[in-house]
Structure formats: C-alpha cells, structure tokens
Amino acid sequence: MIGLVVETEIGESMRFELESGKTKCIAEDIKANAMTVGKYSIVNPSEGQPFPDSHKLVVRVSSSKGNNYHLGDQVDSGTFGFLATESGDYTTCFWANKHKPPIKMTIDFDWKSGVAAKDWSKIAKKGQVETMEIELKKLYDAVAAIHEEMFYLREREEEMQELNKETNSKMATFSFFSLLLCLSVAGLQIWHLKSFFERKKLL
C-alpha cells in the first residue's frame, strides 16, 4: 500500500507514522537549478536504547523522469542534498520492512528547497556579517525566488496554452472528418435506397 503526500511549501518539517510492509511517498515541485536538502530519521521507541532490528527503512529520492538522486538501504536515518537538473515533481519514498506482528514506526522528515535550503547560520558565522545584512540577504533571495517562480509559472502557462491550441486544432480536424464521413454514409444510403426502389419499380 502506498501513501502519497504533496508538499506545497518550499520547506516543511513533518512527522508521520509508517506501518511495516507499507510505503509512503512525499512529492515536492522543484524548479531546475534549485537546491534541495532533506533529513530523515526514525524516532527511537525506547529512548537511550539501541534501535530494534525491525526499525529499518529503504529511502529513495527520484525525479518524475525516473532519475534517482538518493538511496538509503536498511537505514534508520539519513540526509540528502542535490541541485535539481530538471523541473517537476521530485518524490521521496519510504519503504518499511515487513514484520510479524506488524509494527508502526514514527518518522521525522525535513525537506527544504530553494531559499529555505540555505543554511543562513553557517553563512553568518563564516562571513561574520551583522544580523541586518543577513535579513537583507534573505529578503533578496526571497524576491529572486519569487521572480524565478513567476517566470516558471509563465512558462508553464504558455506550455498549457500551446497544448490547448494543438488539442483544439486536432478536435476541429476530427470534427470535420467525422462530418464528412457522416455525409458520405448518408449519401451512400440514399443512393442504395434509390437503386432498391428502382429495381422494385416503386419509383
């Protein structure tokens, strides 16, 4: 059984439960050349004790075109980060091993993209800049991200308009040939009936 959640924010932290033998997928729409980072971990059911053998995951991050960007095999935690090479939905799927009796695992997942993916605390520490400068950099990047998002949405709109035009053109052609076929069939039926009545000397 597969569960799917679509993220609408550029950065979101969540906690969810996953039953053994099942899968949960989380998708996020990411633009090309945008940075994205993620961190996941199973919550230890017995704090301070080693993880049970049953608490293991297979985690995979892939694009809508099937390209894989991260694979964690039999892990209880992990991180990933990459620069998106294509626009579209990127999906993170969590597979829980089968276990009898079934168990439930609690998973913390943090996924950020774009401006939210930048670690501003490291930038501030490295550059030793003032708080106001950091805030200005954040605002600048936020405005740049909104600007890029507007162009991205405009491109998507143009693609949809072009698709609508092509669809309308194909429908018009199909309607014309359908009408032509109907008229041809009607003419053929009239000719057939006329020939039939002439043979029967009814006309």
Side-chain angles (χ1 to χ4, degrees):
M1 185 176 180
I2 298 178
L4 178 63
V5 177
V6 178
E7 289 193 31
T8 56
E9 302 296 330
I10 58 175
E12 185 172 346
S13 298
M14 63 178 68
R15 172 174 286 193
F16 59 89
E17 289 189 341
L18 182 62
E19 188 175 329
S20 55
K22 295 187 178 181
T23 301
K24 188 179 188 70
C25 293
I26 299 165
E28 182 169 356
D29 186 20
I30 304 175
K31 300 188 296 296
N33 300 319
M35 185 66 188
T36 183
V37 294
K39 179 173 63 176
Y40 55 88
S41 61
I42 302 174
V43 177
N44 195 335
S46 301
E47 190 175 351
Q49 300 296 323
F51 269 97
D53 293 336
S54 58
H55 283 54
K56 295 293 181 183
L57 293 170
V58 175
V59 184
R60 185 177 69 180
V61 183
S62 59
S63 68
S64 57
K65 295 183 179 179
N67 296 320
N68 292 325
Y69 290 86
H70 172 76
L71 178 63
D73 190 11
Q74 304 302 317
V75 296
D76 52 51
S77 64
T79 60
F80 61 84
F82 58 88
L83 192 67
T85 57
E86 55 198 74
S87 297
D89 286 336
Y90 285 75
T91 306
T92 301
C93 287
F94 299 84
W95 286 272
N97 295 335
K98 289 185 178 181
H99 190 271
K100 291 184 179 181
I103 60 170
K104 282 188 177 181
M105 292 180 286
T106 302
I107 301 169
D108 284 332
F109 183 43
D110 185 19
W111 194 0
K112 298 178 181 179
S113 298
V115 177
K118 288 189 176 182
D119 191 338
W120 289 103
S121 61
K122 288 184 179 179
I123 294 175
K125 186 176 180 180
K126 182 178 178 180
Q128 294 182 348
V129 293
E130 297 295 333
T131 303
M132 183 62 72
E133 291 180 83
I134 288 294
E135 292 300 323
L136 288 173
K137 286 181 179 292
K138 287 183 181 180
L139 288 173
Y140 176 80
D141 277 10
V143 171
I146 293 171
H147 192 253
E148 291 176 3
E149 183 71 20
M150 289 176 62
F151 275 105
Y152 174 68
L153 292 174
R154 184 178 298 175
E155 289 175 359
R156 293 289 290 270
E157 183 182 2
E158 290 175 355
E159 290 175 2
M160 292 301 297
Q161 288 178 349
E162 188 63 29
L163 180 62
N164 288 336
K165 288 180 182 178
E166 292 178 2
T167 302
N168 291 337
S169 177
K170 290 178 180 178
M171 288 299 297
T173 303
F174 176 75
S175 300
F176 173 76
F177 281 110
S178 296
L179 179 61
L180 188 62
L181 179 61
C182 290
L183 293 174
S184 300
V185 171
L188 184 62
Q189 288 179 336
I190 292 172
W191 176 81
H192 178 72
L193 289 172
K194 183 178 180 182
S195 300
F196 174 78
F197 288 135
E198 286 178 347
R199 285 199 304 272
K200 297 294 183 178
K201 296 182 179 179
L202 296 176
L203 290 177

